[in-house]
Amino acid sequence: MPSDLPMIDAPSPNFDTRALPVSMIVLHYTGMESGQAAIDRLRDPEAKVSAHYLVEEDGRIFHMVDEGKRAWHAGRSHWRGITDVNSASVGIEIVNPGHEFGYRPFPEAQISALIPLVAEIKERHGITRGNVVGHSDVAPARKQDPGELFPWGRLARVRLALPRPTRNLVDPGWPDAGFMLALERFGYDVSDAEAAVVAFQRRFRPELVDGEIDMECRCLLLALLLPKPQGDE
């Protein structure tokens, strides 16, 4: 797997064989008290979790599982009809204590290392912007990472993720049931409706994550369902 990015080999034994071609990138935060604790857990055979890469707060990238293998990072997840998200994705753990241990902004060095890593993976596998997602997008009832402080706009501006729509916003006037149908069409598992709305807000309207379907949510979702969302890029 050719890469010009400097990486530290930290192989994990926690992987198996892919059953699907790679079509997604799933971004996580580690949610542990330190990066080293996360690395140790991701390499522990007893933990049965892993990721393909881990990006430390200082920008160091750890390569843990070969992209050709199925790492165990997404758990029970769903996105755009895919339920074996581990088989279809490359998982990147981003060191951050998370909501449990003191959630904080992601340092510049970390994001500056993450962006070229995502760009390489996206190009290598021909992944669309709409399939560069957070763990909370694919598992809304269970997860909230990488969370509302993650700078999705930075990735969107270099076409590595969908932008937050900002132009030509129109309220389609959907009832709540209509919004949920549209959210499912966009890709979310809506079996837990409030959790799905929260995940959507965390990703596309992080300044107000309240689980309430309002006009702004409807406008954003309609724009995202159009062929070319107009946003901050």
Side-chain angles (χ1 to χ4, degrees):
M1 180 188 55
S3 174
D4 296 328
L5 300 174
M7 293 189 189
I8 300 166
D9 277 324
S12 170
N14 301 333
F15 62 85
D16 54 13
T17 303
R18 287 193 185 278
L20 295 168
V22 174
S23 61
M24 302 169 56
I25 298 171
V26 180
L27 303 182
H28 308 252
Y29 65 41
T30 51
M32 298 185 71
E33 293 183 81
S34 70
Q36 189 58 53
I39 292 167
D40 292 345
R41 178 169 170 77
L42 292 165
R43 301 182 72 189
D44 179 1
E46 296 296 314
K48 293 184 168 53
V49 292
S50 60
H52 295 91
Y53 301 97
L54 176 142
V55 183
E56 254 288 11
E57 290 187 301
D58 60 8
R60 288 176 296 152
I61 300 172
F62 292 79
H63 180 212
M64 309 192 81
V65 173
D66 187 272
E67 283 178 29
K69 300 298 184 182
R70 178 180 181 271
W72 306 337
H73 58 94
R76 189 178 70 259
S77 302
H78 169 105
W79 185 251
R80 294 186 169 175
I82 292 174
T83 54
D84 184 0
V85 171
N86 281 337
S87 268
S89 65
V90 171
I92 304 175
E93 290 278 358
I94 305 162
V95 173
N96 188 293
H99 293 81
E100 187 176 352
F101 295 110
Y103 189 45
R104 59 188 180 223
F106 297 81
E108 177 59 36
Q110 189 175 44
I111 300 304
S112 293
L114 176 69
I115 283 174
L117 176 63
V118 170
E120 276 199 357
I121 298 166
K122 184 177 180 294
E123 182 172 355
R124 187 154 48 238
H125 298 283
I127 297 168
T128 64
R129 291 186 298 165
N131 277 353
V132 179
V133 295
H135 200 186
S136 59
D137 294 316
V138 302
R142 300 188 301 112
K143 296 294 180 179
Q144 47 189 338
D145 58 310
E148 60 277 4
L149 296 179
F150 184 75
W152 285 106
R154 291 278 302 278
L155 274 68
R157 282 190 285 276
V158 288
R159 300 189 65 79
L160 298 180
L162 286 175
R164 172 181 179 159
T166 56
R167 297 195 291 280
N168 305 321
L169 297 178
V170 176
D171 182 2
W174 294 317
D176 288 359
F179 180 88
M180 297 312 300
L181 283 171
L183 195 58
E184 185 174 35
R185 180 181 166 200
F186 182 64
Y188 284 89
D189 173 6
V190 299
S191 53
D192 182 330
E194 185 176 357
V197 173
V198 164
F200 175 78
Q201 292 172 337
R202 188 171 270 124
R203 170 71 178 80
F204 292 104
R205 195 193 57 189
E207 71 278 7
L208 179 57
V209 179
D210 60 5
E212 298 290 328
I213 299 168
D214 57 23
M215 182 179 72
E216 187 175 32
C217 291
R218 293 191 299 269
C219 290
L220 291 170
L221 181 54
L222 175 63
L224 287 162
L225 286 167
L226 297 175
K228 292 184 177 179
Q230 300 293 302
D232 55 348
E233 56 179 352

mmCIF file with all atom_site columns, all heavy atoms in Angstrom, residues 45-67:
data_model
loop_
_atom_site.group_PDB
_atom_site.id
_atom_site.type_symbol
_atom_site.label_atom_id
_atom_site.label_alt_id
_atom_site.label_comp_id
_atom_site.label_asym_id
_atom_site.label_entity_id
_atom_site.label_seq_id
_atom_site.pdbx_PDB_ins_code
_atom_site.Cartn_x
_atom_site.Cartn_y
_atom_site.Cartn_z
_atom_site.occupancy
_atom_site.B_iso_or_equiv
_atom_site.pdbx_formal_charge
_atom_site.auth_seq_id
_atom_site.auth_comp_id
_atom_site.auth_asym_id
_atom_site.auth_atom_id
_atom_site.pdbx_PDB_model_num
ATOM 1   N N   . PRO A 1 45 ? -5.414  -8.526  21.844 1.00 0.00 ? 45 PRO A N   1
ATOM 2   C CA  . PRO A 1 45 ? -6.270  -9.578  21.275 1.00 0.00 ? 45 PRO A CA  1
ATOM 3   C C   . PRO A 1 45 ? -7.546  -9.792  22.073 1.00 0.00 ? 45 PRO A C   1
ATOM 4   O O   . PRO A 1 45 ? -8.585  -10.155 21.510 1.00 0.00 ? 45 PRO A O   1
ATOM 5   C CB  . PRO A 1 45 ? -5.383  -10.824 21.305 1.00 0.00 ? 45 PRO A CB  1
ATOM 6   C CG  . PRO A 1 45 ? -3.984  -10.333 21.475 1.00 0.00 ? 45 PRO A CG  1
ATOM 7   C CD  . PRO A 1 45 ? -4.074  -9.030  22.202 1.00 0.00 ? 45 PRO A CD  1
ATOM 8   N N   . GLU A 1 46 ? -7.492  -9.536  23.373 1.00 0.00 ? 46 GLU A N   1
ATOM 9   C CA  . GLU A 1 46 ? -8.676  -9.740  24.219 1.00 0.00 ? 46 GLU A CA  1
ATOM 10  C C   . GLU A 1 46 ? -9.751  -8.687  23.951 1.00 0.00 ? 46 GLU A C   1
ATOM 11  O O   . GLU A 1 46 ? -10.942 -8.935  24.134 1.00 0.00 ? 46 GLU A O   1
ATOM 12  C CB  . GLU A 1 46 ? -8.277  -9.694  25.699 1.00 0.00 ? 46 GLU A CB  1
ATOM 13  C CG  . GLU A 1 46 ? -7.335  -10.808 26.121 1.00 0.00 ? 46 GLU A CG  1
ATOM 14  C CD  . GLU A 1 46 ? -7.974  -12.178 26.005 1.00 0.00 ? 46 GLU A CD  1
ATOM 15  O OE1 . GLU A 1 46 ? -9.127  -12.336 26.451 1.00 0.00 ? 46 GLU A OE1 1
ATOM 16  O OE2 . GLU A 1 46 ? -7.333  -13.084 25.437 1.00 0.00 ? 46 GLU A OE2 1
ATOM 17  N N   . ALA A 1 47 ? -9.327  -7.489  23.537 1.00 0.00 ? 47 ALA A N   1
ATOM 18  C CA  . ALA A 1 47 ? -10.278 -6.384  23.335 1.00 0.00 ? 47 ALA A CA  1
ATOM 19  C C   . ALA A 1 47 ? -11.142 -6.587  22.099 1.00 0.00 ? 47 ALA A C   1
ATOM 20  O O   . ALA A 1 47 ? -12.273 -6.090  22.029 1.00 0.00 ? 47 ALA A O   1
ATOM 21  C CB  . ALA A 1 47 ? -9.533  -5.061  23.239 1.00 0.00 ? 47 ALA A CB  1
ATOM 22  N N   . LYS A 1 48 ? -10.600 -7.289  21.108 1.00 0.00 ? 48 LYS A N   1
ATOM 23  C CA  . LYS A 1 48 ? -11.335 -7.555  19.864 1.00 0.00 ? 48 LYS A CA  1
ATOM 24  C C   . LYS A 1 48 ? -11.816 -6.279  19.172 1.00 0.00 ? 48 LYS A C   1
ATOM 25  O O   . LYS A 1 48 ? -12.911 -6.223  18.610 1.00 0.00 ? 48 LYS A O   1
ATOM 26  C CB  . LYS A 1 48 ? -12.511 -8.513  20.114 1.00 0.00 ? 48 LYS A CB  1
ATOM 27  C CG  . LYS A 1 48 ? -12.066 -9.918  20.510 1.00 0.00 ? 48 LYS A CG  1
ATOM 28  C CD  . LYS A 1 48 ? -13.244 -10.858 20.658 1.00 0.00 ? 48 LYS A CD  1
ATOM 29  C CE  . LYS A 1 48 ? -12.803 -12.312 20.771 1.00 0.00 ? 48 LYS A CE  1
ATOM 30  N NZ  . LYS A 1 48 ? -11.812 -12.573 21.811 1.00 0.00 ? 48 LYS A NZ  1
ATOM 31  N N   . VAL A 1 49 ? -11.002 -5.222  19.244 1.00 0.00 ? 49 VAL A N   1
ATOM 32  C CA  . VAL A 1 49 ? -11.261 -3.988  18.495 1.00 0.00 ? 49 VAL A CA  1
ATOM 33  C C   . VAL A 1 49 ? -9.973  -3.567  17.805 1.00 0.00 ? 49 VAL A C   1
ATOM 34  O O   . VAL A 1 49 ? -8.872  -3.917  18.251 1.00 0.00 ? 49 VAL A O   1
ATOM 35  C CB  . VAL A 1 49 ? -11.775 -2.842  19.400 1.00 0.00 ? 49 VAL A CB  1
ATOM 36  C CG1 . VAL A 1 49 ? -13.154 -3.145  19.931 1.00 0.00 ? 49 VAL A CG1 1
ATOM 37  C CG2 . VAL A 1 49 ? -10.805 -2.564  20.539 1.00 0.00 ? 49 VAL A CG2 1
ATOM 38  N N   . SER A 1 50 ? -10.123 -2.825  16.724 1.00 0.00 ? 50 SER A N   1
ATOM 39  C CA  . SER A 1 50 ? -8.942  -2.359  15.994 1.00 0.00 ? 50 SER A CA  1
ATOM 40  C C   . SER A 1 50 ? -9.378  -1.256  15.034 1.00 0.00 ? 50 SER A C   1
ATOM 41  O O   . SER A 1 50 ? -10.557 -0.933  14.925 1.00 0.00 ? 50 SER A O   1
ATOM 42  C CB  . SER A 1 50 ? -8.297  -3.513  15.211 1.00 0.00 ? 50 SER A CB  1
ATOM 43  O OG  . SER A 1 50 ? -9.202  -4.057  14.266 1.00 0.00 ? 50 SER A OG  1
ATOM 44  N N   . ALA A 1 51 ? -8.410  -0.692  14.352 1.00 0.00 ? 51 ALA A N   1
ATOM 45  C CA  . ALA A 1 51 ? -8.661  0.268   13.277 1.00 0.00 ? 51 ALA A CA  1
ATOM 46  C C   . ALA A 1 51 ? -7.505  0.149   12.306 1.00 0.00 ? 51 ALA A C   1
ATOM 47  O O   . ALA A 1 51 ? -6.460  -0.424  12.628 1.00 0.00 ? 51 ALA A O   1
ATOM 48  C CB  . ALA A 1 51 ? -8.760  1.692   13.832 1.00 0.00 ? 51 ALA A CB  1
ATOM 49  N N   . HIS A 1 52 ? -7.692  0.675   11.124 1.00 0.00 ? 52 HIS A N   1
ATOM 50  C CA  . HIS A 1 52 ? -6.599  0.639   10.156 1.00 0.00 ? 52 HIS A CA  1
ATOM 51  C C   . HIS A 1 52 ? -5.511  1.646   10.514 1.00 0.00 ? 52 HIS A C   1
ATOM 52  O O   . HIS A 1 52 ? -4.322  1.356   10.365 1.00 0.00 ? 52 HIS A O   1
ATOM 53  C CB  . HIS A 1 52 ? -7.141  0.901   8.752  1.00 0.00 ? 52 HIS A CB  1
ATOM 54  C CG  . HIS A 1 52 ? -8.061  -0.182  8.276  1.00 0.00 ? 52 HIS A CG  1
ATOM 55  N ND1 . HIS A 1 52 ? -9.429  -0.123  8.477  1.00 0.00 ? 52 HIS A ND1 1
ATOM 56  C CD2 . HIS A 1 52 ? -7.814  -1.354  7.656  1.00 0.00 ? 52 HIS A CD2 1
ATOM 57  C CE1 . HIS A 1 52 ? -9.974  -1.229  7.975  1.00 0.00 ? 52 HIS A CE1 1
ATOM 58  N NE2 . HIS A 1 52 ? -9.031  -1.984  7.472  1.00 0.00 ? 52 HIS A NE2 1
ATOM 59  N N   . TYR A 1 53 ? -5.953  2.812   11.009 1.00 0.00 ? 53 TYR A N   1
ATOM 60  C CA  . TYR A 1 53 ? -5.004  3.869   11.365 1.00 0.00 ? 53 TYR A CA  1
ATOM 61  C C   . TYR A 1 53 ? -5.427  4.547   12.659 1.00 0.00 ? 53 TYR A C   1
ATOM 62  O O   . TYR A 1 53 ? -6.615  4.561   13.009 1.00 0.00 ? 53 TYR A O   1
ATOM 63  C CB  . TYR A 1 53 ? -4.943  4.944   10.262 1.00 0.00 ? 53 TYR A CB  1
ATOM 64  C CG  . TYR A 1 53 ? -4.538  4.415   8.915  1.00 0.00 ? 53 TYR A CG  1
ATOM 65  C CD1 . TYR A 1 53 ? -5.502  4.088   7.966  1.00 0.00 ? 53 TYR A CD1 1
ATOM 66  C CD2 . TYR A 1 53 ? -3.194  4.229   8.589  1.00 0.00 ? 53 TYR A CD2 1
ATOM 67  C CE1 . TYR A 1 53 ? -5.145  3.583   6.727  1.00 0.00 ? 53 TYR A CE1 1
ATOM 68  C CE2 . TYR A 1 53 ? -2.837  3.731   7.340  1.00 0.00 ? 53 TYR A CE2 1
ATOM 69  C CZ  . TYR A 1 53 ? -3.806  3.407   6.422  1.00 0.00 ? 53 TYR A CZ  1
ATOM 70  O OH  . TYR A 1 53 ? -3.453  2.903   5.203  1.00 0.00 ? 53 TYR A OH  1
ATOM 71  N N   . LEU A 1 54 ? -4.455  5.133   13.320 1.00 0.00 ? 54 LEU A N   1
ATOM 72  C CA  . LEU A 1 54 ? -4.711  6.010   14.469 1.00 0.00 ? 54 LEU A CA  1
ATOM 73  C C   . LEU A 1 54 ? -3.881  7.266   14.278 1.00 0.00 ? 54 LEU A C   1
ATOM 74  O O   . LEU A 1 54 ? -2.701  7.186   13.910 1.00 0.00 ? 54 LEU A O   1
ATOM 75  C CB  . LEU A 1 54 ? -4.353  5.306   15.774 1.00 0.00 ? 54 LEU A CB  1
ATOM 76  C CG  . LEU A 1 54 ? -4.486  6.147   17.061 1.00 0.00 ? 54 LEU A CG  1
ATOM 77  C CD1 . LEU A 1 54 ? -5.020  5.301   18.221 1.00 0.00 ? 54 LEU A CD1 1
ATOM 78  C CD2 . LEU A 1 54 ? -3.129  6.760   17.469 1.00 0.00 ? 54 LEU A CD2 1
ATOM 79  N N   . VAL A 1 55 ? -4.512  8.429   14.504 1.00 0.00 ? 55 VAL A N   1
ATOM 80  C CA  . VAL A 1 55 ? -3.811  9.710   14.366 1.00 0.00 ? 55 VAL A CA  1
ATOM 81  C C   . VAL A 1 55 ? -3.717  10.359  15.745 1.00 0.00 ? 55 VAL A C   1
ATOM 82  O O   . VAL A 1 55 ? -4.731  10.673  16.368 1.00 0.00 ? 55 VAL A O   1
ATOM 83  C CB  . VAL A 1 55 ? -4.542  10.648  13.377 1.00 0.00 ? 55 VAL A CB  1
ATOM 84  C CG1 . VAL A 1 55 ? -3.751  11.946  13.210 1.00 0.00 ? 55 VAL A CG1 1
ATOM 85  C CG2 . VAL A 1 55 ? -4.741  9.959   12.019 1.00 0.00 ? 55 VAL A CG2 1
ATOM 86  N N   . GLU A 1 56 ? -2.495  10.544  16.206 1.00 0.00 ? 56 GLU A N   1
ATOM 87  C CA  . GLU A 1 56 ? -2.242  11.145  17.520 1.00 0.00 ? 56 GLU A CA  1
ATOM 88  C C   . GLU A 1 56 ? -2.463  12.658  17.470 1.00 0.00 ? 56 GLU A C   1
ATOM 89  O O   . GLU A 1 56 ? -2.507  13.265  16.402 1.00 0.00 ? 56 GLU A O   1
ATOM 90  C CB  . GLU A 1 56 ? -0.812  10.849  17.974 1.00 0.00 ? 56 GLU A CB  1
ATOM 91  C CG  . GLU A 1 56 ? -0.684  9.805   19.071 1.00 0.00 ? 56 GLU A CG  1
ATOM 92  C CD  . GLU A 1 56 ? -1.155  10.303  20.438 1.00 0.00 ? 56 GLU A CD  1
ATOM 93  O OE1 . GLU A 1 56 ? -1.773  11.385  20.518 1.00 0.00 ? 56 GLU A OE1 1
ATOM 94  O OE2 . GLU A 1 56 ? -0.887  9.618   21.434 1.00 0.00 ? 56 GLU A OE2 1
ATOM 95  N N   . GLU A 1 57 ? -2.578  13.251  18.653 1.00 0.00 ? 57 GLU A N   1
ATOM 96  C CA  . GLU A 1 57 ? -2.814  14.697  18.729 1.00 0.00 ? 57 GLU A CA  1
ATOM 97  C C   . GLU A 1 57 ? -1.646  15.499  18.159 1.00 0.00 ? 57 GLU A C   1
ATOM 98  O O   . GLU A 1 57 ? -1.821  16.615  17.682 1.00 0.00 ? 57 GLU A O   1
ATOM 99  C CB  . GLU A 1 57 ? -3.113  15.106  20.174 1.00 0.00 ? 57 GLU A CB  1
ATOM 100 C CG  . GLU A 1 57 ? -4.468  14.614  20.651 1.00 0.00 ? 57 GLU A CG  1
ATOM 101 C CD  . GLU A 1 57 ? -4.846  15.144  22.026 1.00 0.00 ? 57 GLU A CD  1
ATOM 102 O OE1 . GLU A 1 57 ? -4.100  14.884  22.990 1.00 0.00 ? 57 GLU A OE1 1
ATOM 103 O OE2 . GLU A 1 57 ? -5.879  15.813  22.132 1.00 0.00 ? 57 GLU A OE2 1
ATOM 104 N N   . ASP A 1 58 ? -0.435  14.929  18.194 1.00 0.00 ? 58 ASP A N   1
ATOM 105 C CA  . ASP A 1 58 ? 0.730   15.641  17.650 1.00 0.00 ? 58 ASP A CA  1
ATOM 106 C C   . ASP A 1 58 ? 0.931   15.379  16.157 1.00 0.00 ? 58 ASP A C   1
ATOM 107 O O   . ASP A 1 58 ? 1.914   15.840  15.572 1.00 0.00 ? 58 ASP A O   1
ATOM 108 C CB  . ASP A 1 58 ? 1.995   15.264  18.427 1.00 0.00 ? 58 ASP A CB  1
ATOM 109 C CG  . ASP A 1 58 ? 2.316   13.775  18.369 1.00 0.00 ? 58 ASP A CG  1
ATOM 110 O OD1 . ASP A 1 58 ? 1.653   13.035  17.611 1.00 0.00 ? 58 ASP A OD1 1
ATOM 111 O OD2 . ASP A 1 58 ? 3.224   13.332  19.103 1.00 0.00 ? 58 ASP A OD2 1
ATOM 112 N N   . GLY A 1 59 ? 0.010   14.629  15.543 1.00 0.00 ? 59 GLY A N   1
ATOM 113 C CA  . GLY A 1 59 ? 0.074   14.397  14.111 1.00 0.00 ? 59 GLY A CA  1
ATOM 114 C C   . GLY A 1 59 ? 0.715   13.091  13.688 1.00 0.00 ? 59 GLY A C   1
ATOM 115 O O   . GLY A 1 59 ? 0.720   12.753  12.495 1.00 0.00 ? 59 GLY A O   1
ATOM 116 N N   . ARG A 1 60 ? 1.248   12.327  14.631 1.00 0.00 ? 60 ARG A N   1
ATOM 117 C CA  . ARG A 1 60 ? 1.818   11.026  14.261 1.00 0.00 ? 60 ARG A CA  1
ATOM 118 C C   . ARG A 1 60 ? 0.712   10.076  13.807 1.00 0.00 ? 60 ARG A C   1
ATOM 119 O O   . ARG A 1 60 ? -0.355  10.037  14.402 1.00 0.00 ? 60 ARG A O   1
ATOM 120 C CB  . ARG A 1 60 ? 2.568   10.407  15.440 1.00 0.00 ? 60 ARG A CB  1
ATOM 121 C CG  . ARG A 1 60 ? 3.896   11.097  15.780 1.00 0.00 ? 60 ARG A CG  1
ATOM 122 C CD  . ARG A 1 60 ? 4.514   10.470  17.009 1.00 0.00 ? 60 ARG A CD  1
ATOM 123 N NE  . ARG A 1 60 ? 3.664   10.687  18.183 1.00 0.00 ? 60 ARG A NE  1
ATOM 124 C CZ  . ARG A 1 60 ? 3.615   9.878   19.240 1.00 0.00 ? 60 ARG A CZ  1
ATOM 125 N NH1 . ARG A 1 60 ? 4.364   8.777   19.289 1.00 0.00 ? 60 ARG A NH1 1
ATOM 126 N NH2 . ARG A 1 60 ? 2.833   10.170  20.268 1.00 0.00 ? 60 ARG A NH2 1
ATOM 127 N N   . ILE A 1 61 ? 0.993   9.346   12.754 1.00 0.00 ? 61 ILE A N   1
ATOM 128 C CA  . ILE A 1 61 ? 0.035   8.374   12.219 1.00 0.00 ? 61 ILE A CA  1
ATOM 129 C C   . ILE A 1 61 ? 0.547   6.968   12.507 1.00 0.00 ? 61 ILE A C   1
ATOM 130 O O   . ILE A 1 61 ? 1.697   6.638   12.181 1.00 0.00 ? 61 ILE A O   1
ATOM 131 C CB  . ILE A 1 61 ? -0.154  8.552   10.701 1.00 0.00 ? 61 ILE A CB  1
ATOM 132 C CG1 . ILE A 1 61 ? -0.669  9.958   10.384 1.00 0.00 ? 61 ILE A CG1 1
ATOM 133 C CG2 . ILE A 1 61 ? -1.108  7.491   10.154 1.00 0.00 ? 61 ILE A CG2 1
ATOM 134 C CD1 . ILE A 1 61 ? -0.700  10.272  8.896  1.00 0.00 ? 61 ILE A CD1 1
ATOM 135 N N   . PHE A 1 62 ? -0.289  6.147   13.109 1.00 0.00 ? 62 PHE A N   1
ATOM 136 C CA  . PHE A 1 62 ? 0.041   4.753   13.392 1.00 0.00 ? 62 PHE A CA  1
ATOM 137 C C   . PHE A 1 62 ? -0.741  3.860   12.428 1.00 0.00 ? 62 PHE A C   1
ATOM 138 O O   . PHE A 1 62 ? -1.959  3.987   12.302 1.00 0.00 ? 62 PHE A O   1
ATOM 139 C CB  . PHE A 1 62 ? -0.315  4.400   14.840 1.00 0.00 ? 62 PHE A CB  1
ATOM 140 C CG  . PHE A 1 62 ? 0.542   5.092   15.859 1.00 0.00 ? 62 PHE A CG  1
ATOM 141 C CD1 . PHE A 1 62 ? 0.292   6.419   16.208 1.00 0.00 ? 62 PHE A CD1 1
ATOM 142 C CD2 . PHE A 1 62 ? 1.607   4.448   16.470 1.00 0.00 ? 62 PHE A CD2 1
ATOM 143 C CE1 . PHE A 1 62 ? 1.077   7.082   17.140 1.00 0.00 ? 62 PHE A CE1 1
ATOM 144 C CE2 . PHE A 1 62 ? 2.402   5.098   17.399 1.00 0.00 ? 62 PHE A CE2 1
ATOM 145 C CZ  . PHE A 1 62 ? 2.144   6.411   17.735 1.00 0.00 ? 62 PHE A CZ  1
ATOM 146 N N   . HIS A 1 63 ? -0.018  2.984   11.752 1.00 0.00 ? 63 HIS A N   1
ATOM 147 C CA  . HIS A 1 63 ? -0.637  2.028   10.829 1.00 0.00 ? 63 HIS A CA  1
ATOM 148 C C   . HIS A 1 63 ? -0.830  0.715   11.585 1.00 0.00 ? 63 HIS A C   1
ATOM 149 O O   . HIS A 1 63 ? 0.138   0.094   12.010 1.00 0.00 ? 63 HIS A O   1
ATOM 150 C CB  . HIS A 1 63 ? 0.267   1.831   9.611  1.00 0.00 ? 63 HIS A CB  1
ATOM 151 C CG  . HIS A 1 63 ? -0.284  0.875   8.604  1.00 0.00 ? 63 HIS A CG  1
ATOM 152 N ND1 . HIS A 1 63 ? 0.510   0.084   7.824  1.00 0.00 ? 63 HIS A ND1 1
ATOM 153 C CD2 . HIS A 1 63 ? -1.563  0.584   8.256  1.00 0.00 ? 63 HIS A CD2 1
ATOM 154 C CE1 . HIS A 1 63 ? -0.256  -0.660  7.029  1.00 0.00 ? 63 HIS A CE1 1
ATOM 155 N NE2 . HIS A 1 63 ? -1.510  -0.370  7.285  1.00 0.00 ? 63 HIS A NE2 1
ATOM 156 N N   . MET A 1 64 ? -2.078  0.276   11.719 1.00 0.00 ? 64 MET A N   1
ATOM 157 C CA  . MET A 1 64 ? -2.378  -0.847  12.606 1.00 0.00 ? 64 MET A CA  1
ATOM 158 C C   . MET A 1 64 ? -2.902  -2.084  11.875 1.00 0.00 ? 64 MET A C   1
ATOM 159 O O   . MET A 1 64 ? -2.621  -3.208  12.279 1.00 0.00 ? 64 MET A O   1
ATOM 160 C CB  . MET A 1 64 ? -3.384  -0.401  13.668 1.00 0.00 ? 64 MET A CB  1
ATOM 161 C CG  . MET A 1 64 ? -2.960  0.886   14.378 1.00 0.00 ? 64 MET A CG  1
ATOM 162 S SD  . MET A 1 64 ? -3.904  1.289   15.847 1.00 0.00 ? 64 MET A SD  1
ATOM 163 C CE  . MET A 1 64 ? -3.103  0.235   17.049 1.00 0.00 ? 64 MET A CE  1
ATOM 164 N N   . VAL A 1 65 ? -3.710  -1.896  10.834 1.00 0.00 ? 65 VAL A N   1
ATOM 165 C CA  . VAL A 1 65 ? -4.252  -3.019  10.067 1.00 0.00 ? 65 VAL A CA  1
ATOM 166 C C   . VAL A 1 65 ? -4.154  -2.669  8.589  1.00 0.00 ? 65 VAL A C   1
ATOM 167 O O   . VAL A 1 65 ? -4.457  -1.537  8.185  1.00 0.00 ? 65 VAL A O   1
ATOM 168 C CB  . VAL A 1 65 ? -5.731  -3.306  10.454 1.00 0.00 ? 65 VAL A CB  1
ATOM 169 C CG1 . VAL A 1 65 ? -6.337  -4.371  9.533  1.00 0.00 ? 65 VAL A CG1 1
ATOM 170 C CG2 . VAL A 1 65 ? -5.841  -3.748  11.907 1.00 0.00 ? 65 VAL A CG2 1
ATOM 171 N N   . ASP A 1 66 ? -3.729  -3.621  7.778  1.00 0.00 ? 66 ASP A N   1
ATOM 172 C CA  . ASP A 1 66 ? -3.650  -3.397  6.343  1.00 0.00 ? 66 ASP A CA  1
ATOM 173 C C   . ASP A 1 66 ? -5.034  -3.090  5.776  1.00 0.00 ? 66 ASP A C   1
ATOM 174 O O   . ASP A 1 66 ? -6.033  -3.703  6.174  1.00 0.00 ? 66 ASP A O   1
ATOM 175 C CB  . ASP A 1 66 ? -3.074  -4.644  5.663  1.00 0.00 ? 66 ASP A CB  1
ATOM 176 C CG  . ASP A 1 66 ? -2.816  -4.404  4.190  1.00 0.00 ? 66 ASP A CG  1
ATOM 177 O OD1 . ASP A 1 66 ? -3.753  -4.613  3.394  1.00 0.00 ? 66 ASP A OD1 1
ATOM 178 O OD2 . ASP A 1 66 ? -1.699  -3.997  3.839  1.00 0.00 ? 66 ASP A OD2 1
ATOM 179 N N   . GLU A 1 67 ? -5.097  -2.166  4.837  1.00 0.00 ? 67 GLU A N   1
ATOM 180 C CA  . GLU A 1 67 ? -6.394  -1.785  4.271  1.00 0.00 ? 67 GLU A CA  1
ATOM 181 C C   . GLU A 1 67 ? -7.111  -2.942  3.564  1.00 0.00 ? 67 GLU A C   1
ATOM 182 O O   . GLU A 1 67 ? -8.330  -2.918  3.399  1.00 0.00 ? 67 GLU A O   1
ATOM 183 C CB  . GLU A 1 67 ? -6.231  -0.616  3.291  1.00 0.00 ? 67 GLU A CB  1
ATOM 184 C CG  . GLU A 1 67 ? -6.044  0.708   3.979  1.00 0.00 ? 67 GLU A CG  1
ATOM 185 C CD  . GLU A 1 67 ? -5.841  1.839   2.990  1.00 0.00 ? 67 GLU A CD  1
ATOM 186 O OE1 . GLU A 1 67 ? -6.364  1.744   1.851  1.00 0.00 ? 67 GLU A OE1 1
ATOM 187 O OE2 . GLU A 1 67 ? -5.162  2.821   3.348  1.00 0.00 ? 67 GLU A OE2 1
#
